[in-house]
Amino acid sequence: METVIAGLLKDFEDGKMSRRQLIQSLALVAAAVVPGSAAVAQTAAQSAPKPPIPQAFEPAPWKTVWLDHISYAVSDYRRSTAFYRDLMGWTIRNDNGTSQCTLNINGIGGIIIRNRRAPAEGQPVSTAQGGARPPLTGVINHISWGVQPWDTEKVKAELEKRGLSPRPDMVGENFKSFHVTDPDGWDLQIGNQTKDSKS
């Protein structure tokens, strides 16, 4: 290593390299000699303290215990129902025969596939593989999470306390829920359904 450095200094003294070139060359030699020096520098940068994520508001007094359902708006609910049933092995729980079908996602929750999207206009989009991909005509418009403990009035009050505007979505005596909007405008549904209530 000493001969390499001596050679670099001689080239600098003889005017064969600038001061900048000398410094860069010495840095490269030093990095090559110290094994893993680049990895050490990268690890140090990654382990530097990061600022904590601030609280959005006081933590809620409940815990998520269940993915109740995903609401999927499509252009043809029957076609999409058949696709997911046959590809994913989901079972039909309820089909209203005109506009929507509820499927069981193998015991981990449900999906409601409903007609809500108009077919996209224009040509199919190309994929990375060069083939044509059908235009986007489906969108997931909300996901419903089951939480515990559930008390309808207390849940509403807790949502309002956090500056949210809960919109009730109650179906019969057994299904209680509220819709709120997240910071990006996503429709989030919070309800009383759990794995046990779906059995």
Side-chain angles (χ1 to χ4, degrees), residues 8 18 42 58 63 85 98 110 136 140 154 156 180 194:
L8 290 171
S18 68
Q42 184 178 8
E58 177 187 340
K63 296 291 180 203
R85 177 198 61 205
T98 60
L136 177 65
I140 294 174
K154 286 181 181 176
K156 180 181 180 191
V180 295
T194 66

Side-chain angles (χ1 to χ4, degrees), residues 157-179:
E158 290 288 343
L159 294 170
E160 289 172 338
K161 179 172 129 179
R162 288 159 177 77
L164 302 171
S165 301
R167 300 176 321 276
D169 185 354
M170 314 295 181
V171 181
E173 290 299 314
N174 297 322
F175 184 86
K176 308 294 181 196
S177 73
F178 293 100
H179 290 262

Side-chain angles (χ1 to χ4, degrees), residues 5 9 26 54 56 60-61 68 84 89 93 105 110 124 126 153 161-162 185:
I5 292 172
L9 288 172
L26 289 172
D68 181 54
Y84 284 101
R93 193 166 39 201
I105 306 176
S126 306
E153 292 307 313
K161 179 172 129 179
R162 288 159 177 77

